Amino acid sequence: MLTCGCVNGISRLDSPGGSSNEDLSDSTEVSIQRSHVRSRLRKFFAKRPAMDVLIKKGIYKDEPVFGRKLEEVCPASSPRVPDFVKACVREIESSKDNMCTDGLYRASGNLSQVQKIRLEIDQNNQSVIENNTDIHVLTGSLKLFFRELKEPLIPCNLFDRILAACSIKPREARIKEFQGIIQALPPCNHDTLKFLLEHLLKVTEHSERNRMHTANLAIVFGPTLLWAPAEQQHNIAIDYIQQNNVVDILLNDFKDIFVEDNKGKKKA
């Protein structure tokens, strides 16, 4: 049954659900306002200039260190490893306490402090690395550097090949394929990957204290060091496991995979 109520002297017809002509009017007005907002947003995004246009005009500039192509932040002379990466690793390895920190690389550092290091590094303030008091912030910054590269450390054009290499048997054939992939890397990628793996192997030497065995480091660095090309990013769960396998093999079989580099060192 419908009842007639009175609000502020104005007669109103209420329905059993509590709605009214007045409510319907308000709802319609809100819908119109939302429609106008959506229309304005569509016009705004349609007129917004593309990123490459902003770069050409000098309105937007890439950061000096983070978010760049690897070769852009590597020195010209060998070994071609970014200064930021070398400085971070040097500081992490500077004390046994650092290397024995529980959950090294697995534990997340304070995000605001990680971003602070990023900003300071992009302003050419390398001292922020030595002055940092939280080792997890430093490891978080190093991981962020690799995650934000425009192309992964192990390039996208080798993604399918290196994932397939993990399944090759026997071991000798797998090692040989990994050797071929490593030799196919551009110099900057090769030198930086080797430098990072050597560091991570030093981390595993303290695994009784930091609890970071090769398997744990592989979980952390698998999706950090390689990812699928954009058009292939549909099997994320499967790729994630295989990415971990790649890093696990690179660490466990490091000496055999990089044997040619070691021969070169002996000759030198």
Side-chain angles (χ1 to χ4, degrees):
M1 182 181 71
L2 300 180
T3 60
C4 184
C6 186
V7 179
N8 295 332
I10 300 175
S11 179
R12 185 181 71 181
L13 186 65
D14 291 334
S15 68
S19 62
S20 67
N21 291 336
E22 183 181 350
D23 294 334
L24 290 172
S25 176
D26 290 344
S27 178
T28 302
E29 186 176 348
V30 170
S31 297
I32 292 171
Q33 289 175 347
R34 287 177 178 172
S35 178
H36 286 180
V37 170
R38 283 195 292 267
S39 177
R40 289 175 182 175
L41 285 173
R42 277 195 294 268
K43 290 179 181 178
F44 170 76
F45 286 115
K47 293 179 180 179
R48 189 178 61 173
M51 182 63 73
D52 57 346
V53 174
L54 294 176
I55 293 172
K56 286 179 181 178
K57 290 183 177 180
I59 297 172
Y60 176 86
K61 294 182 179 179
D62 282 334
E63 297 172 81
V65 178
F66 283 79
R68 303 295 297 272
K69 292 180 179 179
L70 185 63
E71 62 267 22
E72 294 175 342
V73 291
C74 282
S77 57
S78 182
R80 302 193 64 186
V81 181
D83 291 337
F84 172 72
V85 174
K86 289 189 286 189
C88 276
V89 168
R90 183 167 57 247
E91 185 62 25
I92 293 166
E93 294 180 356
S94 65
S95 74
K96 188 175 180 179
D97 285 342
N98 286 348
M99 296 293 279
C100 291
T101 301
D102 186 38
L104 190 65
Y105 283 109
R106 185 180 66 238
S108 300
N110 182 280
L111 184 58
S112 64
Q113 292 301 310
V114 170
Q115 291 297 334
K116 181 181 178 182
I117 286 184
R118 174 188 187 148
L119 291 172
E120 292 289 343
I121 290 297
D122 280 334
Q123 294 174 20
N124 200 31
N125 180 16
Q126 291 278 345
S127 64
V128 69
I129 295 174
E130 297 177 3
N131 295 334
N132 174 71
T133 57
D134 188 340
I135 193 66
H136 295 305
V137 170
L138 203 54
T139 57
S141 302
L142 186 59
K143 289 186 293 183
L144 182 65
F145 170 82
F146 286 111
R147 283 198 301 267
E148 297 227 337
L149 286 172
K150 286 190 174 178
E151 187 174 30
L153 185 58
I154 299 175
C156 290
N157 67 322
L158 292 172
F159 182 79
D160 290 333
R161 182 181 173 186
I162 200 165
L163 257 59
C166 295
S167 303
I168 295 176
K169 293 181 180 180
R171 177 181 178 274
E172 290 75 16
R174 182 172 65 248
I175 296 298
K176 187 174 182 180
E177 175 64 359
F178 265 85
Q179 289 173 345
I181 294 169
I182 294 303
Q183 294 303 315
L185 291 173
C188 291
N189 300 68
H190 174 280
D191 292 356
T192 303
L193 177 61
K194 184 182 179 184
F195 180 83
L196 178 64
L197 292 172
E198 287 174 331
H199 165 62
L200 296 180
L201 286 170
K202 291 177 184 177
V203 171
T204 64
E205 292 174 4
H206 303 275
S207 58
E208 289 186 6
R209 295 281 302 277
N210 60 35
R211 297 192 295 172
M212 295 306 292
H213 304 275
T214 55
N216 291 336
L217 288 169
I219 291 172
V220 172
F221 280 93
T224 300
L225 302 185
L226 69 155
W227 54 84
E231 65 273 11
Q232 293 181 221
Q233 292 178 358
H234 50 273
N235 294 322
I236 298 176
I238 297 174
D239 289 347
Y240 184 79
I241 295 171
Q242 292 178 315
Q243 287 163 316
N244 298 348
N245 288 340
V246 168
V247 177
D248 193 53
I249 291 171
L250 286 171
L251 287 170
N252 283 309
D253 297 320
F254 175 83
K255 290 183 179 179
D256 292 326
I257 293 172
F258 286 86
V259 65
E260 292 301 320
D261 296 67
N262 295 330
K263 285 180 181 178
K265 277 186 178 181
K266 289 178 181 178
K267 288 180 181 179

